Structures are given as structure tokens and as C-alpha cells.
Amino acid sequence: MIAFWALVRKDLRIFFGDPRAVIMAFAAPILIGSFFGYVFGSMGKPADRGKIKVLVVDPQPGKVTRQIMESLQKDPMLDVSASDLGDAQSQVKKGRVPVALLFPPGFSEAAAQALFGGSKKPEVTVLYDPSHKLEAGMVQGLLTGQVMQSVTRQAFSQQTTATGLSLPFEMKEKALAARVGVPYNSYAHSFGGMAIQFMLFMGIDVGLGMLLLRQRGLWRRFRAAPLSKGVLLGSRAFSAMLVGMLILAVVFAFARIVFGVKIEGSIIGFLGICAAFSLMTAAYGMLIAALGKTPEAARGLATLATLLMVMLSGAWVPSFIFPAWMQTLTKFIPPRWAMDGLDAMVWRGLGLQEALIPIGVLLLSTLVFGTIAVLRFRWDAE
Amino acid sequence: MLQATGLKKAYGNLQAVDGVTLEAGRGQVIGLLGPNGAGKTTTIGMLAGLIAPDSGEVKIGGERISGDTSPVKRRLGLVPQELALFDELSAMGNLELFGALYGVTSAKERDRVLDLVGLRDRARDKAGTFSGGMKRRLNLAAALLHDPDVLLLDEPTVGVDPQSRNAIFDNLETLKAMGKTLLYTTHYMEEAARLCDHISIMDHGKIIASDNLAGLLRHVPVSSFVVVELAEDGFAGLEALRSMVREASLNQRQLRMGLQRLDTLPDLLQWLNANGGTFSHVATERPTLETVFLQLTGRSLRDA
């Protein structure tokens, strides 16, 4: 055991003695996680989100279109202003304004008549920037409501329904995640994702480091000592696991202190996933060392494989936005289980039982990677 | 102390080591001399238990190395050809690590080897800040912490300045005096000649000659070489000269002759003068291991 701990201590001393490695492992996931958390968080918070700019082209303003314009201007999600056709087309084309609405001349009267099916329906054109299709859809929905209200008010102005028709129900949204009353914190996902990404990068460094040991003759020196292969590989895996756990601990501690990310679910489940993924990362490093011939040759391929795994795991963007077939496919990628497991324990607030399958899959992956590594590792390579 | 019998190792179609047999007693230094690619490092690998031989066996003090954790490995110290050190750690940090691999945790042992290689005053400095020669000495120290009986040195002076090389030689002579058995691979014949009690010359995986220095030199059929600088180009008497000496060759104005007896030199020079071979300079050389290698393989050691 003296040798085992000496080898582990050596790995940790070298790791913490290298500022570049420490920055990459700890500061980079925090920085990038903060960025993604902010960006994705803004999407869910109306107060932080910029209003959607809308230009309205109304060549022959009538009572109805004026009412629609006023109502749209009062909507907190929209920034509405009047324009002419040429300007509206130019602004949308250049990407300065995402949506423009074009009312045809005589819209007010034609719409009121069309309400009862007596004449041809007037056509409102929605010009939109193709990169803002989502916003265009939102504006169309809001416009429909306002048109219905204003046109019916106009049509029935001689009767009692002076306020016009309106939707006969109210919509109430309720986010069902974590504990009741606890708002979703976008930093929970982004920090988990970035921790996973940079732990896998650390795994690459572990693998390349082992190839460098061979290149520098250190492996010969280690193997000349009366030590088992288990001690030699196990000590490296253990130190990698410790660093991996530390990355997760530091990243989530930062997220907790600065962004208020809490482990809403099972703490034991969270720790279990962290430990299982750290082990898997260590085994992944061993696999790189076993399959790579030289550090130079292994670096590019390992980086590509890691980036693909990170991308497909949902670490950058949540996996639920993937097409269905891709969501199924990514279940064969171990980091996906780490990501889902961390999401489940951190912001979904689920219990320990929801962590068991991700932990199981990660441990199984560790076993597979580790076995291949031990079988393929070139002990005699000169 | 060190016994290797009939070691063979092939990598695919390449027979890297082909029936190598070596033996060294306590306090003996044996040299393994050969060009790059001769199979020296593979042989060292098999002796150190790093590479399993296809056939043959290695015994240290009469015991075989059986598996990775064999206690016999404690009797061996390996100095790899590469600078197998962690540049990021101090000299002391490196020694702590390499000592711990053998269960040695005593600071006294670390001080002992640092004293031996003369690096005590640099113990706290990172290995990365050391010169090539200092790294070589630390490389040697790291193999001595567990006080091995047999030290396997794989080209331990590659890339070292003459001063550091001499320091390493002094260290090795001290170890020899302490009764350690040393196996020393090199492609520098002068190192082998200076250090080794017994030299095995290796080429293409085989030991092609094995003896002490005097015994190896007997492979060369001359006792001395004479190099004569001729005053003018061309020498018509070369064929006649060849019948008088063991060997003779002319390279531009440099005439090289191998003599069985050096006392024939005055007569030979007189004959040269009389036969158009006016000379401006004469030098004599003794045969070396390089000459032995050339004699045995037909190739120069450095060009092989």
C-alpha cells in the first residue's frame, strides 16, 4: 500500500502543481457553466428577456387596427412601433427586427364583415426573420387574440358586448420540478454539464499522461519495481477519481454559493452519481492509454470522441430537444446517464431510487472500459 | 549473482534477441556493447523482468523472477536509457516516490544516494531545472534507493557532458567497490573499455564475442596500427606494401597499416622512403573495441 499511496500522491502533486491543469479543471467549467446558465436562464425569465420588436404597417388606419396597435403596445412581451412597408421589409431582412405585421387597406371594415362569413377574409401578412420563427409564432398568437377582441367589439358596438369577444378561459402555468415553490435554476444544468465535460477532458489527460510515462521511460522504472499491474493502473485510476470528485465538488459548491443551486433531490443519489461518473472518467482515461500508441496520435482522436460524447450527453443543451431517435441513441453514451442523473438529483428533486439506474449504467461502463483497458494495455511496449 | 541463459525474444518477424547468455558475479561489471538496435535494451528488459522472454531464463542470486510482484525484483535496480524522472517534482520528491515503490520511506536512504551522486545540495530543486548531467545522476540515484545487489544500466551516459560522465563513472566504480554487480549497456567502446571486467559484443540480437578487453582484442590480428601522412598524392607501392604488413589501405594521402609487431616499424618506414612514399607525419594506434567490432562484423560500430 505504500507504493499505491505514493503513486496517488505523486499524481495529485503533479496535477495541483500545474496551474494550467487546475484552471482547465476548475475555472473553465465554472466560467462556461455561468455563461450557459445565464443564457438559458434568461430564456425563462420575462423580466430579463428583451422584448420582441414588432413593426406594424397599417397603410389605412381604421378604428380596429388602431385598437389592435394600442393593445399590442401594452403587451409586456412586445415592443411595437408603426412603420411603412419598405422600412419593415428592410429591417426584417437585415435581422434588426424579427417580426413585422402588414394590415391590408380597409382591414377594419373587411374584418368585421368577414366575421359573419359575408365577404372575403382580409389577409394580414406576417414578415419574419427565419432565425426567429419562434417569436413569429408568439406574435401571431397574441395578434389573433387582439384581432378577435377588437373586431367583435367593432361588430357588436351597437349591442351590449361592448368589450368584444375574448378567450373563455384563463391559462395557469405551473412548473413541476423540484419541490413545490422552488423555481427552476438554469445554472443547475449548465454547471452539471460543464463539470461532466471538463472531467472527461481530465480523463483524456490521464490517458495521455500514461502514454507519456511510457515515452519517458518511467513506465519501465515502475514496472521494474515489485508491483502488480493492479497497483500501477489502480493508483492512476484512483487519483483520477479523486480529482474528478473534487471537480464536481468545487463546481457545485460555486454554483451553490454564487447562483443558489441546491441539491433538491437525494444527496446520497447525487454523491453516488458523482462517484460513479468519476470512476467512469478514470476508466475512460485508462482506455485512452490502452488504445493510444503515442500521446500525439491519441490526443486528436480522444478529443473528438470526448466532444461527441459531451455533445450527445446533453451537457451543452438539454437532451430533450434532440430528435426522438437521437434521444434513444444517446442512451448508449455513458455521460448522458451522468447528465440525466445529475439533473434528476439537482433540480428535478427526485429521490435516491431515480439515481440507481444512472449509477448502475455508469458503473457498468467503468467495468467495460476498465476491462478493455487492462486487456489491451501494452505492458511490454518499448 | 546475475545469470541469463539462452534468452530469446521476437517481435513479429524480427528476432530482437537471439539466444543471449550472460553471467556476472558479485562486484563485477559486465558490459553489453553494440550498435543501436542490436537488442541491448530488450535484453535489459528481460533481465529486469519487464519483458517475458520467448525462451531462456534469468536468475538473480540463483532465484528466478516469478511475476510482477516477485521479491527477487528487490535485488535489481534499473537505470533506464531515458531520463525516467518527473520534472515537476523535486529531486527529493522523485526519490520519495521511487523509494516508496520498493517500500523504502527512510530519509536516510534518500540522503545516502544523494550524497553518492553529489546532488544533496539540490535536493529541494525541481528535476526539471537540472542540467542533463545532473538528471542522469538523479536517474542513477533513483535506482539505488533500495540498495539492489544488481544494477542494470541501459546507456546511462547518453547525451552527457564529459564532466558528468566522469562523475557517473566515479559513482559506478564506488558501487563496484561496494560489491554491486553492474550490467552496463553502451555503444561507446571507450566506456566499456574503462569500466567493464567483461564485455559482450552484441549485434543483430546475438552475442558475437564475449571476453575481457585483452581477450577481445586478440580477435584483431594486429598489435598496432600505423598511420602515415604521405607528402604527395598517389603511392605506387601499395600492393608491394600489402605483402609486407598484415593490412594496408590508402585514403587520399593517409596510409594506414596494421602491424603484428611494432618493432618492424623503422624498417618499414625506411622501405617507404626508398619506394616513393615520402612522409610528413607518423602516428601509431592500438586496436580498440571499435576495431574488434569491425573485425567481427565488417562494419564500424558507429555506422552499424
Side-chain angles (χ1 to χ4, degrees):
Chain A
M1 286 308 275
I2 291 174
F4 182 89
W5 291 117
L7 287 165
V8 170
R9 201 165 51 244
K10 173 265 300 176
D11 289 335
L12 297 180
R13 281 169 76 176
I14 289 175
F15 177 79
F16 287 106
D18 180 0
R20 189 196 66 88
V22 173
I23 288 170
M24 277 299 284
F26 297 106
I30 285 172
L31 276 173
I32 302 174
S34 302
F35 171 76
F36 275 119
Y38 177 74
V39 169
F40 287 118
S42 300
M43 287 171 71
K45 293 179 186 170
D48 293 339
R49 190 185 56 213
K51 289 181 172 185
I52 302 170
K53 280 191 175 179
V54 180
L55 295 179
V56 176
V57 181
D58 186 7
Q60 196 182 79
K63 195 175 177 185
V64 170
T65 51
R66 270 196 294 270
Q67 278 175 359
I68 291 170
M69 182 82 170
E70 280 167 19
S71 302
L72 289 176
Q73 279 172 331
K74 284 177 191 164
D75 195 298
M77 297 205 301
L78 304 179
D79 173 11
V80 180
S81 50
S83 181
D84 58 56
L85 180 61
D87 178 57
Q89 283 176 328
S90 164
Q91 298 274 20
V92 173
K93 209 179 282 180
K94 290 174 183 169
R96 291 181 185 151
V97 173
V99 187
L101 303 174
L102 312 182
F103 287 107
F107 175 83
S108 300
E109 295 74 24
Q113 287 166 17
L115 187 66
F116 302 105
S119 65
K120 195 184 171 198
K121 292 180 181 179
E123 199 171 64
V124 178
T125 306
V126 180
L127 303 176
Y128 69 93
D129 178 345
S131 66
H132 289 273
K133 200 173 178 182
L134 197 66
E135 284 91 333
M138 281 175 64
V139 172
Q140 282 182 56
L142 291 168
L143 177 68
T144 305
Q146 295 305 330
V147 169
M148 284 300 290
Q149 203 165 356
S150 302
V151 171
T152 52
R153 188 186 298 148
Q154 167 76 7
F156 300 113
S157 58
Q158 305 304 317
Q159 299 170 33
T160 50
T161 42
T163 56
L165 289 178
S166 63
L167 285 174
F169 62 93
E170 290 290 335
M171 197 84 82
K172 186 182 175 189
E173 284 185 341
K174 189 175 176 185
L176 202 60
R179 291 178 190 144
V180 176
V182 177
Y184 168 66
N185 189 332
S186 58
Y187 294 96
H189 179 86
S190 65
F191 271 73
M194 286 306 113
I196 281 175
Q197 172 170 319
F198 284 90
M199 279 174 70
L200 287 170
F201 283 163
M202 187 268 295
I204 296 178
D205 284 343
V206 168
L208 299 183
M210 290 184 70
L211 291 172
L212 268 175
L213 287 186
R214 184 184 285 154
Q215 210 171 55
R216 290 162 65 184
L218 282 152
W219 200 247
R220 284 168 72 80
R221 176 156 266 163
F222 288 160
R223 293 218 46 232
L227 302 174
S228 68
K229 294 180 175 89
V231 167
L232 289 173
L233 286 187
S235 61
R236 193 68 196 94
F238 187 76
S239 56
M241 191 193 81
L242 286 182
V243 174
M245 290 283 280
L246 199 63
I247 291 172
L248 280 164
V250 170
V251 166
F252 273 99
F254 184 91
R256 171 75 183 90
I257 293 164
V258 179
F259 299 112
V261 172
K262 290 183 187 167
I263 313 298
E264 302 286 356
S266 163
I267 299 276
I268 295 171
F270 173 77
L271 292 176
I273 288 166
C274 290
F277 185 65
S278 300
L279 264 175
M280 195 226 79
T281 304
Y284 177 59
M286 301 289 126
L287 188 67
I288 291 169
L291 300 181
K293 283 186 178 168
T294 63
E296 296 76 20
R299 189 184 304 276
L301 208 58
T303 305
L304 178 67
T306 302
L307 286 174
L308 279 174
M309 279 205 294
V310 170
M311 183 178 74
L312 295 174
S313 71
W316 293 343
V317 289
S319 55
F320 60 74
I321 69 163
F322 297 165
W325 66 268
M326 197 183 281
Q327 289 194 40
T328 307
L329 187 73
T330 55
K331 287 189 175 169
F332 292 96
I333 294 168
R336 161 82 195 271
W337 292 90
M339 197 64 251
D340 287 357
L342 286 177
D343 278 351
M345 295 302 108
V346 180
W347 65 268
R348 288 191 190 279
L350 301 179
L352 176 62
Q353 67 275 18
E354 296 299 325
L356 295 180
I357 292 178
I359 289 172
V361 172
L362 291 172
L363 290 179
L364 185 67
S365 309
T366 304
L367 191 69
V368 172
F369 288 175
T371 306
I372 296 172
V374 170
L375 292 177
R376 291 290 305 269
F377 196 81
R378 290 171 302 126
W379 299 98
D380 286 352
E382 296 299 326
Chain B
M1 181 55 65
L2 170 67
Q3 223 176 359
T5 318
L7 295 179
K8 285 191 176 185
K9 183 73 189 177
Y11 294 106
N13 292 328
L14 175 72
Q15 189 68 44
V17 175
D18 192 2
V20 166
T21 294
L22 295 165
E23 196 168 343
R26 188 176 291 276
Q28 223 184 354
V29 182
I30 58 170
L32 202 51
L33 180 71
N36 291 328
K40 304 187 299 292
T41 298
T42 306
T43 302
I44 286 260
M46 287 190 280
L47 296 176
L50 308 181
I51 300 171
D54 295 336
S55 64
E57 65 172 10
V58 177
K59 286 184 179 172
I60 309 295
E63 291 178 87
R64 289 182 65 167
I65 298 176
S66 52
D68 293 331
T69 58
S70 171
V72 182
K73 281 184 165 185
R74 289 182 187 279
R75 303 183 70 177
L76 277 171
L78 173 68
V79 182
Q81 191 179 125
E82 305 87 351
L83 291 166
L85 301 165
F86 287 98
D87 285 349
E88 306 87 338
L89 300 180
S90 66
M92 191 58 92
N94 272 286
L95 296 181
E96 277 172 18
L97 170 66
F98 295 124
L101 301 184
Y102 293 86
V104 176
T105 54
S106 153
K108 208 171 124 187
E109 288 302 310
R110 293 194 287 273
D111 289 344
R112 175 182 65 80
V113 296
L114 282 170
D115 280 337
L116 180 75
V117 298
L119 289 174
R120 182 85 175 263
D121 57 332
R122 300 292 303 271
R124 300 284 158 202
D125 295 341
K126 283 191 175 176
T129 65
F130 285 7
S131 67
M134 288 163 74
K135 282 184 180 176
R136 283 279 163 206
R137 280 144 65 195
L138 186 59
N139 208 31
L140 171 64
L144 298 172
L145 281 154
H146 58 293
D147 197 21
D149 296 322
V150 176
L151 197 59
L152 306 173
L153 301 122
D154 191 3
E155 310 225 14
T157 57
V158 171
V160 166
D161 59 276
Q163 197 183 349
S164 290
R165 182 174 296 192
N166 281 332
I168 290 171
F169 285 170
D170 290 345
N171 296 154
L172 297 181
E173 276 160 0
T174 305
L175 290 167
K176 183 186 175 189
M178 288 163 67
K180 306 291 181 194
T181 302
L182 274 57
L183 183 130
Y184 190 97
T185 79
T186 182
H187 61 273
Y188 298 124
M189 56 196 173
E190 61 275 20
E191 288 188 0
R194 174 177 164 179
L195 272 177
C196 302
D197 302 310
H198 191 99
I199 299 163
S200 294
I201 297 180
M202 204 170 173
D203 190 35
H204 296 310
K206 288 184 176 168
I207 303 277
I208 54 171
S210 187
D211 208 330
N212 59 25
L213 182 60
L216 286 174
L217 291 176
R218 278 197 286 274
H219 285 273
V220 184
V222 296
S223 67
S224 302
F225 289 100
V226 177
V227 181
V228 174
E229 278 304 325
L230 297 174
E232 292 171 4
D233 284 340
F235 173 56
L238 187 61
E239 283 308 313
L241 180 65
R242 278 186 176 140
S243 65
M244 298 166 66
V245 296
R246 193 79 196 184
E247 58 181 75
S249 60
L250 181 65
N251 184 6
Q252 291 178 334
R253 289 186 182 185
Q254 194 179 72
L255 181 63
R256 186 181 168 87
M257 298 169 286
L259 307 184
Q260 276 180 308
R261 288 171 44 211
L262 195 58
D263 59 6
T264 59
L265 182 59
D267 292 342
L268 193 64
L269 294 176
Q270 253 183 352
W271 181 89
L272 269 179
N273 237 343
N275 289 276
T278 318
F279 51 84
S280 57
H281 186 258
V282 177
T284 60
E285 287 174 4
R286 284 179 159 273
T288 62
L289 286 171
E290 172 75 43
T291 330
V292 176
F293 190 82
L294 186 67
Q295 183 70 33
L296 292 170
T297 66
R299 290 171 294 137
S300 158
L301 184 58
R302 287 190 175 86
D303 300 337

